[in-house]
Amino acid sequence: MPTHDSGPHDRTGTDPIEESRPKDFIRDIVAEDLRTGKHTSVVTRFPPEPNGYLHIGHAKSISLNFGIPKEFGGECHLRFDDTNPSKEEQEYVDSIMEDVRWLGWDWGTHLYYASDYFGQLHDWAVHLIRTGLAYVCDLNADQVREYRGTLTHPGKPSPFRDRTVEENLDLFARMKAGEYPDGSRTLRAKIDMAHPNLNMRDPVLYRVLRATHHRTGDAWCIYPMYDYAHGQSDAIEGITHSVCTLEFEDHRPLYEWFIEHLPVPHKPRQLEFARLNITYTALSKRKLLELVQKGYVAGWDDPRMPTLAGIRRRGYTPEAIRTFCEKIGVAKANSVVDLAFLEQCLRDDLNKRAPRRMGVLRPLKVVLENYPEGQVEEMDLVNNPEDPAAGTRKVPFSKVLYVEQDDFMEEPPKKFFRLAPGREVRLRGAYFITCTGVDKNERGEITELRCTVDLNTRGGSATDGRSPKATLHWVSAAHAVNAEVRLYDRLFTKANPEDYPEGQDYKANLNPQSLVTLAGAKLEPSLVSAQPGLIVQFERLGYFCADRDSTPGRPVFNRAVTLKDTWAKVQAKDKAESGKGAGSR
RNA sequence: UGGGGAGUAGCCAAGUGGCAAGGCACCGGUCUUUGGAACCGGCUAUCGAAGGUUCGAAUCCUUCCUCCCCAGCCA
């Protein structure tokens, strides 16, 4: 479709779709290539290495690679970059496919593996040998490093650089046949040992490596390096725009060198963008793997992990993640996106869609002294004020209730307008109540509140027009569902986890409060058999997702994100100010 | 001291010679049966710096500064 003269971008500015379409330098290039007729449709690829779980950073790449062909017409391939069998596993390819699908993308029939091309890649290596552009090198890894030179000094040629084509052909065949031990020989491109770009100093194409590959088994004992495999895989698949992250910018000359010197069927173009970073978050595979393997978290899908599996379990939606990826933009400047931005994308999505429910995290018993013993009323509660179509539900109300401990203060400060002795508040969708007494135990701790209820305020409004400043959530004690609630917070205490004390590492910044488990939460009865994955808003608290650890009659909920909390902000400010005052004295 | 990139508000980020978009965060206010949401306003950016070209420069030229990446038989 994108072949007509005006091109897909030449529409009027009033088109709402046009206005909401993401715009960035990569899409500009794609649009230009389509406009000039360089390409008639776009083919991209998302090329994960199956050596770990996908994380939110990958979501940015997925959003770009799948989003572009969707917008401009074309297709995106899912290709596993599986050239290093010592690190790669089937578990990871399964999780990666699940996560990409979960995000809502579809690669159709275009599922590929770099290992599909091992045969072709090998034949092309032979071609390079025949044309005098590759040689078998007997230097070991340490020697290769020595010969490579440094950033500021040129390297020197390998003593094996000038072997004859025949000898190279024979040696390479024997490498392939398994005649040499791991690491003893490599096939290298013959480019320029004095090149200012180290990637061009006779890079290794093949290494001898005996490891069972998750797909090819023990068929090979030589494996191609990334640089040699990636571009040619792109060429084989007819990729038009090979989008990768900035650290590969230095590799582009090599990428192009291979394409130039090999009889490939197509010439792809590599484009680089800045990878995603988020405050209070670690997004390197090395770190995530360490957190999992050393037990700092409970697995790849621990809800504190930035993996797609983790944030999915936590309660993030694919829609929120996709919106996030679109809104952060794509550029070449290194940047760190505020975690608050991700959280806000989730709230925006869930605010419109998540059913409202009542759940008391830290229960405080309330006895309504003037409410009839044994009476139960079914109150009508709105499921979602943002969505009338969501309807209402019945919630039982009775003489003994639970409210949130945080919603009562015996000696309230000026700005606190929830429940306090002598004060009236509204119970959401029920009645106004007034606190008349406070019971305490021998240690002076509050055990329960005594209140009176105004029976003329049923449903939550008074005929005389008075309106309490606060509305509280509540649960009928006799009908409450006991639940476990897991309060998750940022995994790291520092915006930059790399900012650690001398002699330590990023793990010094792990947040000991990243998980707080509340075993005694009380939920409204409608949640008794919440299915894992159900996401609701606990009114006034945040969005919570039923966890797979839920058991019949005892749900477990994960807090995905809190609601914005103005009161918490006021408290924090007051605390900071009083602290400052004391300090200056 | 080699090569490759990047610098626009606290954080992302548009802008490609004609008075510097938008979002997040933050601060006010309106409204409110969620201290939520929504709505209104503020956040008043010497466009890394200095020169130059031009009637006019974030955009073009020169020099400088700062930050990031590269010396795996990882990707």
Side-chain angles (χ1 to χ4, degrees), chain A residues 38 41 80 85 94 131 154 172 185 239 243 278 302 329 369 397 400 409 435 484 489 497 502 518 563 566:
Chain A
K38 178 177 179 184
S41 79
F80 289 97
D94 294 340
T131 51
F172 186 52
R185 282 180 164 84
I239 301 299
V243 180
I278 302 181
D302 186 301
E369 308 220 85
F397 182 89
V400 182
M409 285 187 93
C435 178
E484 176 177 321
D489 199 356
E502 180 86 36
L518 302 177
L563 249 33
T566 307

Side-chain angles (χ1 to χ4, degrees), chain A residues 316-428:
Chain A
Y316 272 79
T317 61
E319 291 81 1
I321 294 166
R322 289 171 66 152
T323 303
F324 171 75
C325 290
E326 284 165 18
K327 290 171 83 168
I328 54 175
V330 177
K332 294 193 72 162
N334 291 317
S335 61
V336 184
V337 175
D338 200 331
L339 214 212
F341 189 72
L342 211 211
E343 294 180 334
Q344 190 53 29
C345 288
L346 213 218
R347 291 191 193 100
D348 282 344
D349 181 37
L350 260 17
N351 176 50
K352 286 174 258 156
R353 306 197 290 152
R356 268 81 281 214
R357 293 292 182 264
M358 292 195 289
V360 177
L361 269 27
R362 298 176 176 90
L364 171 58
K365 188 190 279 187
V366 169
V367 177
L368 303 176
E369 308 220 85
N370 62 332
Y371 194 85
E373 188 85 48
Q375 178 173 314
V376 177
E377 286 183 83
E378 296 288 327
M379 312 305 292
D380 287 305
L381 271 288
V382 171
N383 281 329
N384 187 346
E386 303 293 319
D387 177 17
T392 62
R393 70 188 183 285
K394 302 285 188 189
V395 181
F397 182 89
S398 64
K399 184 181 180 74
V400 182
L401 310 170
Y402 291 117
V403 299
E404 207 68 59
Q405 286 174 18
D406 286 351
D407 284 341
F408 175 81
M409 285 187 93
E410 196 169 12
E411 291 169 32
K414 243 199 318 270
K415 293 173 200 150
F416 182 88
F417 41 83
R418 275 112 94 146
L419 199 57
R423 187 182 291 175
E424 181 177 64
V425 298
R426 171 170 35 234
L427 295 181
R428 177 120 231 215

Side-chain angles (χ1 to χ4, degrees), chain A residues 175-485:
Chain A
M175 276 172 65
K176 177 174 178 261
E179 290 186 27
Y180 309 120
D182 288 9
S184 62
R185 282 180 164 84
T186 56
L187 181 73
R188 302 175 67 179
K190 192 189 284 189
I191 305 180
D192 179 2
M193 286 307 292
H195 201 289
N197 180 340
L198 303 213
N199 293 123
M200 301 299 272
R201 318 241 264 228
D202 289 12
V204 171
L205 272 44
Y206 272 92
R207 73 277 215 186
V208 180
L209 176 61
R210 283 168 183 77
T212 301
H213 188 279
H214 69 104
R215 297 192 76 243
T216 61
D218 296 318
W220 296 85
C221 64
I222 56 171
Y223 289 94
M225 300 291 291
Y226 164 85
D227 284 312
Y228 179 66
H230 202 93
Q232 282 69 272
S233 300
D234 287 341
I236 291 167
E237 293 177 20
I239 301 299
T240 56
H241 303 268
S242 183
V243 180
C244 63
T245 43
L246 251 28
E247 66 270 28
F248 292 103
E249 209 154 16
D250 283 343
H251 296 240
R252 195 185 335 127
L254 181 55
Y255 182 102
E256 289 169 348
W257 188 90
F258 288 125
I259 296 300
E260 195 56 41
H261 293 279
L262 255 12
V264 294
H266 168 84
K267 293 183 195 286
R269 193 221 302 202
Q270 176 180 300
L271 299 166
E272 311 86 10
F273 71 98
R275 70 182 329 135
L276 173 65
N277 295 290
I278 302 181
T279 55
Y280 302 99
T281 305
L283 286 181
S284 84
K285 282 203 181 170
R286 195 204 105 236
K287 292 196 186 78
L288 297 183
L289 183 65
E290 182 182 24
L291 293 173
V292 170
Q293 289 186 336
K294 294 189 180 168
Y296 291 98
V297 296
W300 286 103
D301 71 345
D302 186 301
R304 291 167 292 185
M305 289 284 276
T307 51
L308 296 178
I311 60 182
R312 170 168 65 234
R313 187 173 174 191
R314 175 141 167 185
Y316 272 79
T317 61
E319 291 81 1
I321 294 166
R322 289 171 66 152
T323 303
F324 171 75
C325 290
E326 284 165 18
K327 290 171 83 168
I328 54 175
V330 177
K332 294 193 72 162
N334 291 317
S335 61
V336 184
V337 175
D338 200 331
L339 214 212
F341 189 72
L342 211 211
E343 294 180 334
Q344 190 53 29
C345 288
L346 213 218
R347 291 191 193 100
D348 282 344
D349 181 37
L350 260 17
N351 176 50
K352 286 174 258 156
R353 306 197 290 152
R356 268 81 281 214
R357 293 292 182 264
M358 292 195 289
V360 177
L361 269 27
R362 298 176 176 90
L364 171 58
K365 188 190 279 187
V366 169
V367 177
L368 303 176
E369 308 220 85
N370 62 332
Y371 194 85
E373 188 85 48
Q375 178 173 314
V376 177
E377 286 183 83
E378 296 288 327
M379 312 305 292
D380 287 305
L381 271 288
V382 171
N383 281 329
N384 187 346
E386 303 293 319
D387 177 17
T392 62
R393 70 188 183 285
K394 302 285 188 189
V395 181
F397 182 89
S398 64
K399 184 181 180 74
V400 182
L401 310 170
Y402 291 117
V403 299
E404 207 68 59
Q405 286 174 18
D406 286 351
D407 284 341
F408 175 81
M409 285 187 93
E410 196 169 12
E411 291 169 32
K414 243 199 318 270
K415 293 173 200 150
F416 182 88
F417 41 83
R418 275 112 94 146
L419 199 57
R423 187 182 291 175
E424 181 177 64
V425 298
R426 171 170 35 234
L427 295 181
R428 177 120 231 215
Y431 293 103
F432 294 0
I433 63 169
T434 301
C435 178
T436 55
V438 180
D439 291 357
K440 296 181 182 176
N441 62 19
E442 55 290 348
R443 289 192 300 275
E445 297 161 348
I446 298 170
T447 54
E448 69 178 55
L449 264 28
R450 331 236 26 124
C451 296
T452 57
V453 53
D454 180 350
L455 274 347
N456 291 318
T457 57
R458 191 176 198 283
S461 53
T463 49
D464 63 7
R466 74 183 196 278
S467 183
K469 263 207 128 178
T471 300
L472 273 42
H473 58 280
W474 53 273
V475 171
S476 168
H479 305 85
V481 173
N482 292 310
E484 176 177 321
V485 173

